[in-house]
Amino acid sequence: MRRFMEEAVRLALEGGAVEGGGPFGAVVVRDGTVIGRGWNRVTPSGDPTAHAEIVAIRDACRALGAFRLDGCELYSSCEPCPMCLGAIYWARLARVIYGATRGDAAAAGFDDSLIYRELALPPGERAIPMTQLLRDEALESFRRWGELEGRTPY
């Protein structure tokens, strides 16, 4: 386990310094082999979703040719943020091992406590206004998807 965390930390150190991204790194491991690597690329890519964990998950999915990472572990230099945590659950990773805490990240200027608080609120009470519109029309896509034969369940 230690060598995989060392790799995640190395990516955080090198990716942040060399690529101009943030100080975060991650690797996805399957059966003792690294199959995905990532470091924070938010600023150089102009993509707010290019967190280390997301980049590593995308890399691992490409390597496996699948959207599920059953049986894989994610090693991250820091406790995953809410967005990355969502991706971890959607990818069905078996386990997450992390180094620094979200408190450590907040102290370094990467504070996601607002997002954690917002998630607990009903949509109408969140800081970013959220309005529901055309629900019945939107439900049609779910109905049609449910009728598809051979659909791939998530």
Side-chain angles (χ1 to χ4, degrees):
M1 283 181 22
R2 184 178 179 86
R3 70 183 166 115
F4 300 127
M5 183 56 77
E6 288 171 345
E7 174 72 359
V9 170
R10 183 188 68 75
L11 290 169
L13 291 167
E14 292 179 10
V18 175
E19 297 287 327
F24 302 93
V27 295
V28 175
V29 176
R30 182 178 200 183
D31 298 326
T33 302
V34 175
I35 60 166
R37 288 179 173 79
W39 58 88
N40 185 290
R41 295 179 180 168
V42 170
T43 54
S45 69
D47 179 357
T49 69
H51 288 200
E53 297 91 338
I54 302 289
V55 173
I57 288 169
R58 289 174 180 161
D59 192 36
C61 288
R62 272 190 301 275
L64 295 179
F67 66 91
R68 291 181 65 136
L69 297 174
D70 296 300
C72 297
E73 299 175 330
L74 179 115
Y75 289 78
S76 178
S77 64
C78 188
E79 181 180 356
C81 75
M83 176 185 68
C84 293
L85 191 57
I88 287 163
Y89 277 93
W90 279 114
R92 310 302 198 285
L93 286 154
R95 181 171 155 176
V96 175
I97 299 93
Y98 63 93
T101 68
R102 65 186 188 191
D104 298 327
F110 299 93
D111 190 356
D112 53 14
S113 61
L114 169 70
I115 300 169
Y116 282 102
R117 287 192 308 271
E118 289 285 301
L119 287 172
L121 296 173
E125 295 178 23
R126 294 179 181 155
I128 296 175
M130 301 185 88
T131 304
Q132 187 176 25
L133 183 64
L134 297 178
R135 180 174 184 253
D136 291 337
E137 291 83 349
L139 287 173
E140 180 64 18
S141 64
F142 293 137
R143 187 191 64 72
R144 289 184 187 180
W145 187 84
E147 293 174 350
L148 286 177
E149 290 188 31
R151 69 182 175 274
T152 302
Y154 283 58

